[in-house]
Amino acid sequence: MSVTLTQATGPAHTRIYSYGAARGEHFVPNDDLVGPIDSSDEWIRQRTGIVTRTRAGADVDAIDLATTAAAEAIERAGVVPSQVDAVIVATISNPKQTPSVSAIVADRIGANPAAAYDVNAACAGFAYGVAQADALIRSGAATYAVVVGTEKLSDIVDPADRSISFLLGDGAGAVVVGPSDFPGIGPTVWGSDGSKADAVGMNHTLTEFRDGAAPWPTLRQEGPTVFRWAVWEMVKVARRALEAAGVKASDLAAFVPHQANMRIIDEFAKQLGLPESVAIGRDIETTGNTSAASIPLATHRLLEERPELSGGLALQIGFGAGLVFGAQVVVLP
């Protein structure tokens, strides 16, 4: 006698219902950081486009930021927290190796006993999380999912490191993903190039720190290497995401790349041939580079400032440590 296994199926389409955000409560201007790196406000502005960045206080961690952003997204989505059955958190700044940020956030927002797990894909983490939420819902494994990108990068930066310290901020951005009557999340183009893992990442291991062989691990980067890779290789990924979604750059209402550097963002827009009608996320100017949180934070700000973008298409692309990347076209809520 043969037995047929039951396999779950879900809706044909998904979409993003809403965005939520949380930024560090302290605004840190360039002048506050230039001493240890022997730099100037003018140098930072010219090279990165950053005027100030937000950073959280000592009593706030990445979990707190994620909880605030997720709660706002759920409230805006009109979804009851108990309906959320998956919580995915992208972060590289969990204050502990374990438990996961996602499990704690799920409990705090009232989503117990939702499935919960963290994604460590650095600045591409949010795009990875959206891709997984889309797949989970369309497979029938979940009905509503919360995806959060959250970082407290000020905890893992050396103030004297000239390669990256002045770039980083703290914050969290979140979305609710759920079933849809129309395609709201395009195919994700993603991947990695681990051969360049040393280009950006932590400079030491926790084991080395424990054994007294190295100081507290902090983020470092080879700026020129990352800049070239982001500008020349990631534009190809962005074009592939547009092609996979069946749209053109001229169809976009918004372009929201990872907020790594204003020069990278501007070069991106130029190479994609974006018309002037396309709104471009430039949250880095006042928030800084928040790694996994940067795309949802920039999108949240765009929608707050430009509500007419609602219903339009947005191309979002994340890229960062590892060198990991992910891009997809989404319909803005």
Side-chain angles (χ1 to χ4, degrees):
M1 178 180 177
S2 62
V3 177
T4 300
L5 189 68
T6 299
Q7 193 166 20
T9 58
H13 309 302
T14 66
R15 63 182 175 89
I16 292 174
Y17 284 45
S18 60
Y19 283 80
R23 288 176 170 82
E25 66 272 30
H26 301 298
F27 288 91
V28 182
N30 294 333
D31 285 336
D32 286 5
L33 304 177
V34 297
I37 60 173
D38 189 24
S39 185
S40 68
D41 171 64
E42 181 182 9
W43 184 87
I44 294 175
R45 290 189 189 218
Q46 288 180 347
R47 295 186 65 86
T48 70
I50 299 174
V51 176
T52 186
R53 74 279 297 139
T54 59
R55 289 187 173 174
D59 58 340
V60 175
D61 60 23
I63 303 171
D64 299 321
L65 294 166
T67 301
T68 300
E72 181 188 345
I74 291 173
E75 181 179 1
R76 289 189 168 197
V79 173
V80 178
S82 60
Q83 291 179 288
V84 174
D85 37 24
V87 176
I88 305 168
V89 174
T91 187
I92 59 170
S93 49
N94 185 348
K96 297 180 179 179
Q97 293 289 93
T98 191
S100 67
V101 173
S102 55
I104 298 172
V105 171
D107 177 60
R108 289 186 181 181
I109 62 176
N112 268 341
Y117 62 95
D118 291 357
V119 174
N120 184 340
C123 311
F126 178 75
Y128 269 47
V130 169
Q132 292 177 44
D134 166 59
L136 288 171
I137 293 167
R138 289 193 292 116
S139 72
T143 302
Y144 294 99
V146 170
V147 179
V148 187
T150 186
E151 304 289 7
K152 190 183 180 188
L153 299 177
S154 58
D155 282 345
I156 51 174
V157 64
D158 177 0
D161 173 39
R162 191 178 174 86
S163 75
I164 201 171
S165 63
F166 56 90
L167 292 169
L168 306 179
D170 301 334
V175 293
V176 173
V177 179
S180 175
D181 295 331
F182 57 87
I185 299 175
T188 298
V189 175
W190 53 359
S192 65
D193 183 2
S195 68
K196 296 183 177 66
D198 291 338
V200 55
M202 305 301 287
N203 61 343
H204 297 293
T205 67
L206 288 174
T207 303
E208 290 172 332
F209 174 69
R210 179 199 65 191
D211 295 342
W216 176 250
T218 57
L219 279 172
R220 300 292 170 92
Q221 74 169 349
E222 297 174 5
T225 300
V226 174
F227 185 90
R228 288 192 298 269
W229 176 77
V231 168
W232 303 114
E233 297 303 320
M234 292 304 96
V235 168
K236 299 174 186 177
V237 172
R239 291 184 181 130
R240 286 168 55 197
L242 289 171
E243 182 179 359
V247 302
K248 300 177 181 179
S250 57
D251 295 321
L252 297 174
F255 173 51
V256 190
H258 163 52
Q259 305 291 291
N261 181 304
M262 195 73 82
R263 291 194 300 161
I264 292 176
I265 294 171
D266 291 340
E267 186 63 28
F268 244 132
K270 179 181 176 181
Q271 291 198 40
L272 286 173
L274 297 180
E276 292 185 4
S277 60
V278 177
I280 300 175
R282 290 191 169 93
D283 190 50
I284 188 171
E285 182 177 16
T286 55
T287 301
N289 178 342
T290 54
S291 189
S294 75
I295 291 175
L297 280 175
T299 308
H300 181 276
R301 173 158 283 168
L302 271 183
L303 289 171
E304 290 287 293
E305 297 176 349
R306 301 273 306 274
E308 72 274 14
L309 297 174
S310 178
L313 298 176
L315 169 61
Q316 55 186 31
I317 176 168
F319 47 88
L323 299 172
V324 179
F325 58 86
Q328 66 246 139
V329 176
V330 302
V331 176
L332 294 171

